[in-house]
Amino acid sequence: DPLRRDPERACRYAEKAYSLNSSDERTLETFADALFATGNVARAVEIQQERLDRERKAGIALKSEDRPS
C-alpha cells in the first residue's frame, strides 16, 4: 500500500541491520533496495556491487537476472 510506505524509515532499519550483519546477502540486498527507494542510487549501487563482489569471491554463480546486460 503506497500510503503506508515510509522509505526513509525502511532505510534507517535496513542500515541498522547492515551495521549489525553486513555479511548477509539478504541484508545487503534489502539495504540497497531501501537506499534506491530513498533516491540514494549511488550508494545503492555500491552496496549491490559489494554483494556481487562477495559472491564472485565465494565462487557463487550469478542467476541470469543478476548478470549485467
Side-chain angles (χ1 to χ4, degrees), residues 12-45:
R12 286 193 304 274
Y13 284 123
E15 186 171 24
K16 179 66 174 179
Y18 175 77
S19 72
L20 295 171
N21 188 12
S22 64
S23 63
D24 181 67
E25 179 183 334
R26 289 173 292 186
T27 299
L28 289 168
E29 192 158 348
T30 299
F31 187 31
D33 289 346
L35 287 163
F36 185 82
T38 60
N40 194 343
V41 176
R43 182 71 173 130
V45 169

Side-chain angles (χ1 to χ4, degrees), residues 25 51-52 54-64 66-67:
E25 179 183 334
R51 181 181 68 86
L52 292 172
R54 287 181 188 187
E55 287 180 359
R56 285 187 192 107
K57 191 172 187 178
I60 299 170
L62 297 176
K63 297 179 284 187
S64 61
D66 288 340
R67 291 188 185 125

